[in-house]
Amino acid sequence: MTWKKFSGEVIHSPILEEIENAIVRETESGYKLKVCIGTDSQVKGALTDFATVIVLLREHHGGFMYIHQDKTPQKMSIKERMLVEVQKSIETAYAICDLLDLYDVDLEVHADINTNPMFKSNKALNEAMGYILSMGFIFKAKPEAFASSTCADKMVH
């Protein structure tokens, strides 16, 4: 799985190693960190482009992120696509949660799903919330889900 920085620079070391180095560096600089993970997607012709982000927030001092993108030709309903987004975020959260526990860094999983029933993405809200919470993660939906609805969104639009 290829991860990049926002600048486009490819991360050549394993993402766990990169995140651990960032946690150590940022903590030594006196910052308290929180990690937010989210995925967004965009259908572009025959392909669906997914972007998953790991956002490291420095309390009151901005943050930075790592991005993984992949494309699939698979046709999906909106609900299915929302749940694939959540699945990608959960897989990423699961891969790094032990490391974050080790350093006592809080983790949130953000879903690009609207809590307003007028929006199509709302169809997937209950399943997504159940999926994320049952895995033991803190769940955020729109409008609080900035990792997916703002950060990841920028990568696919």
Side-chain angles (χ1 to χ4, degrees), residues 129-141:
M129 190 162 68
Y131 190 5
I132 292 168
L133 294 174
S134 70
M135 292 296 289
F137 298 122
I138 294 170
F139 167 79
K140 298 282 185 189

Side-chain angles (χ1 to χ4, degrees), residues 1 17 28 32 36 41 44 52 54 60 72 75 80 84 86 93 98 101 103-104 110 133 148 152 156:
M1 196 182 254
E17 194 179 301
E28 284 176 354
K32 176 160 176 40
C36 303
S41 62
K44 295 177 178 174
T52 300
I54 301 170
H60 308 300
T72 179
K75 294 269 181 249
E80 196 178 358
V84 169
V86 168
D98 288 347
D101 286 348
Y103 287 96
D104 197 25
H110 292 193
L133 294 174
S148 53
V156 291

Side-chain angles (χ1 to χ4, degrees), residues 12-36:
H12 295 289
S13 56
I15 192 64
L16 262 180
E17 194 179 301
E18 179 71 23
I19 289 172
E20 184 167 25
N21 291 341
I23 290 170
V24 169
R25 180 185 71 236
E26 298 296 325
T27 306
E28 284 176 354
S29 297
Y31 295 114
K32 176 160 176 40
L33 295 175
K34 175 165 79 172
V35 171
C36 303

Side-chain angles (χ1 to χ4, degrees), residues 2-138:
T2 304
W3 288 89
K4 295 179 180 176
K5 293 182 179 178
F6 187 60
S7 64
E9 180 191 337
V10 174
I11 310 277
H12 295 289
S13 56
I15 192 64
L16 262 180
E17 194 179 301
E18 179 71 23
I19 289 172
E20 184 167 25
N21 291 341
I23 290 170
V24 169
R25 180 185 71 236
E26 298 296 325
T27 306
E28 284 176 354
S29 297
Y31 295 114
K32 176 160 176 40
L33 295 175
K34 175 165 79 172
V35 171
C36 303
I37 295 173
T39 303
D40 195 13
S41 62
Q42 179 74 26
V43 179
K44 295 177 178 174
L47 295 176
T48 302
D49 188 9
F50 287 93
T52 300
V53 296
I54 301 170
V55 181
L56 280 84
L57 287 180
R58 299 179 195 104
E59 195 171 64
H60 308 300
H61 286 90
F64 54 97
M65 67 179 175
Y66 302 100
I67 303 120
H68 169 71
Q69 283 185 270
D70 60 334
K71 292 176 172 46
T72 179
Q74 187 183 339
K75 294 269 181 249
M76 291 176 243
S77 68
I78 181 99
K79 184 173 180 178
E80 196 178 358
R81 190 161 54 95
M82 299 291 112
L83 292 173
V84 169
E85 288 177 9
V86 168
Q87 180 184 354
K88 288 176 180 294
S89 294
I90 285 175
E91 285 170 1
T92 302
Y94 192 73
I96 68 168
C97 64
D98 288 347
L99 175 69
L100 299 180
D101 286 348
L102 192 66
Y103 287 96
D104 197 25
V105 174
D106 290 340
L107 170 65
E108 294 177 357
V109 176
H110 292 193
D112 189 36
I113 295 174
N114 209 300
T115 51
N116 182 334
M118 290 177 60
F119 291 86
K120 288 182 189 164
S121 68
N122 183 261
K123 291 186 181 93
L125 181 65
N126 289 340
E127 288 93 331
M129 190 162 68
Y131 190 5
I132 292 168
L133 294 174
S134 70
M135 292 296 289
F137 298 122
I138 294 170

